Amino acid sequence: QVQLVESGGGLVQAGGSLRLSCAASGSIFSLNAMAWYRQAPGKQREMLATITSGGNAYYADSVKGRFTISRDNAMRMVYLQMNSLKPDDTAVYYCNADVRTTLSRRAVYWGQGTQVTVSS
């Protein structure tokens, strides 16, 4: 069993900042790429940023320059620093991780999500 637990969501005014955290725990042999997604009401889930185990980060155009993904491999954490937030950033934010649970088993896991609401 692998669990991903997000935290740090909440209500913020436009132009403000939030930092999301995601903790991975359970039967983890190794953590590969980790990512943040979001899903707004009535919209498809959108990939925002991904980071490899070596720290290489990639961003969706919609958040490039405003959001920063980072990770702490020792603590099995991934973070999303969100600056210059806009009302359009309102969504449920999900953590995602590509996890190897044994040498031969690998799967993608999701957290339960954390709500981010940006008021205008």
Side-chain angles (χ1 to χ4, degrees):
Q1 276 291 64
V2 174
Q3 296 81 39
L4 298 178
V5 179
E6 301 99 334
S7 60
L11 174 64
V12 64
Q13 287 190 331
S17 298
L18 280 175
R19 188 192 194 211
L20 304 183
S21 300
C22 173
S25 63
S27 303
I28 298 172
F29 180 78
S30 65
L31 276 174
N32 302 313
M34 302 183 79
W36 286 97
Y37 286 70
R38 70 184 177 192
Q39 188 165 20
K43 295 188 177 181
Q44 288 191 330
R45 192 168 293 191
E46 172 190 17
M47 194 280 288
L48 302 176
T50 185
I51 186 166
T52 67
S53 56
N56 293 312
Y58 304 90
Y59 298 93
D61 288 343
S62 58
V63 303
K64 199 175 294 183
R66 298 190 299 125
F67 291 9
T68 302
I69 190 171
S70 60
R71 64 189 286 169
D72 183 329
N73 290 330
M75 297 298 292
R76 294 178 173 174
M77 299 283 295
V78 64
Y79 306 97
L80 187 68
Q81 177 66 43
M82 306 186 294
N83 298 328
S84 303
L85 283 162
K86 308 172 184 179
D88 282 351
D89 294 318
T90 296
V92 178
Y93 284 68
Y94 297 91
C95 172
N96 164 292
D98 178 355
V99 181
R100 191 174 292 280
T101 52
T102 69
L103 277 175
S104 58
R105 283 192 169 186
R106 185 173 175 174
V108 174
Y109 294 87
W110 291 88
Q112 81 290 348
T114 185
Q115 176 70 46
V116 171
T117 302
V118 184
S119 63
S120 56

